[in-house]
C-alpha cells in the first residue's frame, strides 16, 4: 500500500474502505473492507466477468471475453482517487482501483484502461487532451412504481414546477438546501464543480466541471453521480441521469468540451501562432464527424438514450459543426486562440464517463492520424438537416462492431465485449410490453 493512502486513512481516522471499479455501464462495483484488512491486502481480487454486467444485472456469455473458468483479476488502488465518503455515519473512504491481469497488463475490458489506452496515443505525440464536462440531470419526486411517469419534486415553496424555467435563479433557489449539501459534499470529495444553472426542463439542472485531464475528470464524474443521488435521497427526492426521463421534456446531456495542448509548451495546438485555427483542429473536428456515428453505443448506451436525440429538443440529430451554434452536434464556442475548443453535444448524461471521454478522444485522434477534412461550418439551424446518427441502439451496435478503425484504437477485445453487453440489454428490453402497446393495441387491433 502506498504511503499516500496510509497517511490519508490515518489522518481521517478511516474505519472502512470502499474499493470500487467501474463496470461497462458506469456502475460502481467492488468490496467494502475494514481499514486494517485493506492495508494488509494491498489489492482487491474480483471476477473479471463483473465488468460485463448489464445495467439490469445480467451478463452475456462471458467465456469468449474472460475465459471459461471466470478467473479473478487483480485490482490495485489508485492513490490519486482516495476520498472521504461524506454521507457515511462513520469515517469511510472510497478509492478507485485499476484492473490488472496476473502478469501486470491492464484488463482490456476495464473502462478506465480503455481511456488510458487512448490517452497513451496522445502522450506518444507529446499532446495532452483537456476536457470539461457539463452534466445535466433531473430532480424528480420519489417514485417507487416504474409504471408511473416521473414528476418534478416539491420545492421550498411547497409547489412543484409546472413550466420550463431555463436559467431561472428563483427556480434553483427552490432547492437551495439540497444544493448547499451538494456543494458541501463535492468540496469534501474534492470534486471541482463550477457553475450551477437551471436547465430547460421542469426540475432539470446542470452542473459544470472545471477543465482538466480526462482521466481525473472521468473519476470525478463517476464520484459525482453517486454523490448527487445520495444528496437527493436525503432530501426526499430522486436525482436521475437518465437521458430522457420525462416525456415531452428535453433530455439530459453530458456535453464534453475538448482541446489539445503541447506537453512541452502548454500551448493550445488547435490554434496557430497568428490565432487562426490549426490544421490539427480541423482534422480533429473531422474525426468527430466521421466516427461519432460509429461510436454511438458509447455516447448513447441505452434504448432510452435515443429518445433524447430529437430535433427541436435541444439535442443534436447530426454531426454538423458551427461557430457558437447549439443546433449542431459539434459546437465551437467563441473564444480566444488559447481557449479554442470543440464541444461534443452528442453524449447523453447516462454514459459511462470513462468510455464517453475515450470515445470522443478516439474520434479526434483518428481524424488527426488520417488527416481528415471536415465539412463547411453550418451557419443556420442544423435541426433542419436529416438524421446523421443511428436512431436506435440496435443499429448503433451494428455500426460500432463493423468499424475497424475503432477496434484498432479502443481494442477489438473490448469492442466485441462491449457490444455483447449492449446486445443483451437490448434483448431484455425488447421482451417488455409497454403501456403504449396495452393502451392502443389491446382492444383496437
Amino acid at each position: 500500500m502506498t504511503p499516500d493512502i496510509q497517511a490519508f486513512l490515518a489522518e481521517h481516522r478511516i474505519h472502512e474502505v470502499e474499493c470500487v471499479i467501474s463496470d461497462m455501464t458506469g456502475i460502481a462495483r467492488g468490496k467494502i473492507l475494514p481499514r486494517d484488512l485493506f492495508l494488509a491486502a494491498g489489492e482487491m481480487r474480483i471476477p473479471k466477468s463483473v465488468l460485463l454486467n448489464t445495467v439490469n444485472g445480467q451478463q452475456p456469455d462471458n467465456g469468449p471475453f474472460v475465459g471459461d473458468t471466470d478467473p479473478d483479476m487483480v485490482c490495485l488502488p489508485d492513490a490519486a482517487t482516495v476520498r472521504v465518503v461524506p454521507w457515511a455515519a462513520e469515517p469511510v473512504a472510497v478509492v478507485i482501483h485499476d484492473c490488472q491481469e496476473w502478469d501486470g497488463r491492464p484488463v482490456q475490458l476495464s473502462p478506465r484502461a480503455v481511456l488510458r489506452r487512448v490517452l497513451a496515443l496522445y502522450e506518444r505525440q507529446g499532446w495532452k487532451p483537456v476536457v470539461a464536462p457539463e452534466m445535466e440531470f433531473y430532480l424528480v419526486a420519489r417514485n417507487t412504481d416504474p409504471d408511473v411517469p416521473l414528476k418534478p419534486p416539491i420545492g421550498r415553496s411547497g409547489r412543484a414546477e409546472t413550466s420550463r424555467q431555463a436559467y431561472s435563479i428563483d427556480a434553483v433557489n427552490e432547492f437551495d438546501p439540497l444544493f448547499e449539501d451538494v456543494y458541501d459534499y463535492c468540496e469534501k470529495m474534492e470534486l471541482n464543480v463550477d457553475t450551477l444553472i437551471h436547465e430547460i426542463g421542469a426540475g432539470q439542472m446542470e452542473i459544470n466541471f472545471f477543465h482538466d485531464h480526462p482521466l481525473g475528470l472521468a473519476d470525478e464524474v463517476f464520484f459525482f453521480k453517486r454523490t448527487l443521488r445520495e444528496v437527493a435521497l436525503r432530501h426526499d427526492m430522486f436525482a436521475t441521469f437518465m437521458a430522457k426521463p420525462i416525456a415531452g421534456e428535453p433530455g439530459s446531456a453530458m456535453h464534453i468540451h475538448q482541446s489539445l495542448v503541447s506537453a512541452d509548451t502548454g500551448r493550445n495546438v488547435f490554434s496557430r501562432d497568428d490565432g487562426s485555427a490549426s490544421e490539427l483542429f480541423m482534422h480533429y473536428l473531422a474525426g468527430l464527424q466521421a466516427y461519432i456515428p460509429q461510436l454511438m453505443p458509447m455516447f448513447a448506451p441505452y434504448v432510452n438514450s435515443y429518445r433524447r436525440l430529437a430535433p427541436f429538443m435541444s439535442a443534436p440529430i447530426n454531426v454538423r459543426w458551427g461557430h457558437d451554434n447549439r443546433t449542431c452536434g459539434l459546437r465551437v464556442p467563441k473564444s480566444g486562440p488559447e481557449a479554442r475548443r470543440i464541444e461534443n453535444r452528442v453524449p447523453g448524461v447516462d454514459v459511462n464517463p470513462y468510455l464517453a471521454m475515450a470515445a470522443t478522444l478516439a474520434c479526434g485522434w483518428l481524424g488527426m492520424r488520417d488527416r481528415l477534412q471536415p465539412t463547411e461550418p453550418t451557419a443556420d439551424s442544423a435541426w433542419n438537416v436529416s438524421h446523421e446518427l443511428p436512431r436506435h441502439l440496435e443499429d448503433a451496435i451494428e455500426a460500432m462492431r463493423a468499424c475497424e478503425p475503432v477496434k484498432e484504437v479502443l481494442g477489438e477485445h473490448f469492442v466485441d465485449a462491449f457490444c455483447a453487453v449492449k446486445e443483451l440489454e437490448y434483448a431484455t428490453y425488447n421482451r417488455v410490453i409497454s403501456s403504449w402497446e396495452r393502451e392502443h393495441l389491446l382492444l383496437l387491433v
Side-chain angles (χ1 to χ4, degrees), residues 56-70:
N56 56 313
Q58 296 179 298
Q59 289 183 1
D61 177 15
N62 56 43
F65 309 119
V66 302
D68 295 333
T69 62
D70 193 12

Side-chain angles (χ1 to χ4, degrees), residues 313-353:
M313 292 295 286
S314 300
I317 60 172
N318 53 63
V319 286
R320 301 302 169 97
W321 75 278
H323 296 283
D324 200 19
N325 189 338
R326 285 185 170 84
T327 69
C328 294
L330 302 168
R331 171 177 170 257
V332 177
K334 291 184 181 297
S335 68
E338 286 304 308
R340 178 171 275 112
R341 63 195 185 276
I342 303 166
E343 178 189 14
N344 182 355
R345 297 175 60 81
V346 174
V349 79
D350 54 349
V351 296
N352 179 318

